Structures are given as C-alpha cells and as structure tokens.
Amino acid sequence: MNRYFKEVLDTHELIRAWLGNAETPVETCDDLLSRFSQDFSMVPPSGVFFDFNALNRFFRAQLGARAGLTIEIVDLQIIAESERGATVTYTERQIIPGQNTTQRFATAVFDISPDGRVMWRHLHETFYSA
C-alpha cells in the first residue's frame, strides 16, 4: 500500500479510538499527535484555522467525546508526489450511533521528516452530501 494512504488510514484509526472511546489510553493521543508537523495547519469544515497547538488542545480535550464513532476513508488519490512529500485527497465518513452521518472531502499535504517519517503538514476539509 502507498505509504501516504497508509498514513491516512492509520491516523484515522487513532482518531476513531481517541474520540470514540473514553477508555482509550493517553498514549494513543501522544501517538496521534506525533504524526503532525509542528508547522501543521488545518482548515476544518467550520472554517476556523487550526495550527499544531490548536490541534493539540482539541484532541487532548476530546477523549471519548464521540462515543461509538466509526470512520470510513474512501476514494484515496495521489494528486502530487515527490521525494519530499505528497498531496492526497480522500473522502471521510464519520458515523456516530444515533446521529446523522457526516461526510467530508479532504486534501492533505504530507512532508517527509529528516528521519523518513510521513508527517501531516496541512489539511483542508469540506463537508458535502453524497
């Protein structure tokens, strides 16, 4: 599997575990946040800009906040790729029992760290209906 696709899937599994289960160990959040560059930026569907510090505060405050959450990632595509990173698009569906399913289109920019790890550099998400 393409390493950028694997990173998207692995990261969303950590997000699902952290947000969906209040019993998840704190190390899961540490692992999750270690995947994001200190220079990370994000525009979520709300339009409110996040940097790494805002992302850190958000996740630390959200343990179990979406009980029973499942996340489906589909339609992964490479837009551009080089030796320094890649830009990937995908569709993310979030399902929470008793609530409407949300669907968002995401564009993620990845950098390769000096030690060879894939790092989230930027993420832009937009809600849409199927």
Side-chain angles (χ1 to χ4, degrees), residues 27-80:
E27 292 82 14
T28 300
C29 190
D30 297 338
D31 184 14
L32 172 61
L33 289 166
S34 74
R35 296 166 178 272
F36 294 88
S37 166
Q38 292 294 311
D39 296 322
F40 178 75
S41 60
M42 176 179 178
V43 180
S46 67
V48 176
F49 180 81
F50 275 50
D51 61 10
F52 179 83
N53 292 327
L55 184 73
N56 183 31
R57 286 190 305 273
F58 170 79
F59 277 125
R60 298 280 179 201
Q62 295 295 311
L63 173 60
R66 299 178 186 170
L69 173 69
T70 58
I71 298 175
E72 297 174 358
I73 303 295
V74 297
D75 301 328
L76 288 146
Q77 295 182 37
I78 296 284
I79 300 301

Side-chain angles (χ1 to χ4, degrees), residues 57-129:
R57 286 190 305 273
F58 170 79
F59 277 125
R60 298 280 179 201
Q62 295 295 311
L63 173 60
R66 299 178 186 170
L69 173 69
T70 58
I71 298 175
E72 297 174 358
I73 303 295
V74 297
D75 301 328
L76 288 146
Q77 295 182 37
I78 296 284
I79 300 301
E81 185 174 8
S82 73
E83 67 279 350
R84 295 179 21 215
T87 300
V88 174
T89 61
Y90 59 90
T91 296
E92 174 183 344
R93 291 185 193 104
Q94 291 191 7
I95 304 156
I96 301 172
Q99 296 185 26
N100 291 331
T101 297
T102 61
Q103 185 165 265
R104 59 193 79 195
F105 181 78
T107 302
V109 177
F110 294 100
D111 287 338
I112 301 298
S113 70
D115 65 356
R117 293 185 309 138
V118 174
M119 303 293 293
W120 292 77
R121 177 61 181 83
H122 179 76
L123 178 62
H124 190 118
E125 299 177 321
T126 304
F127 282 134
Y128 77 97
S129 299

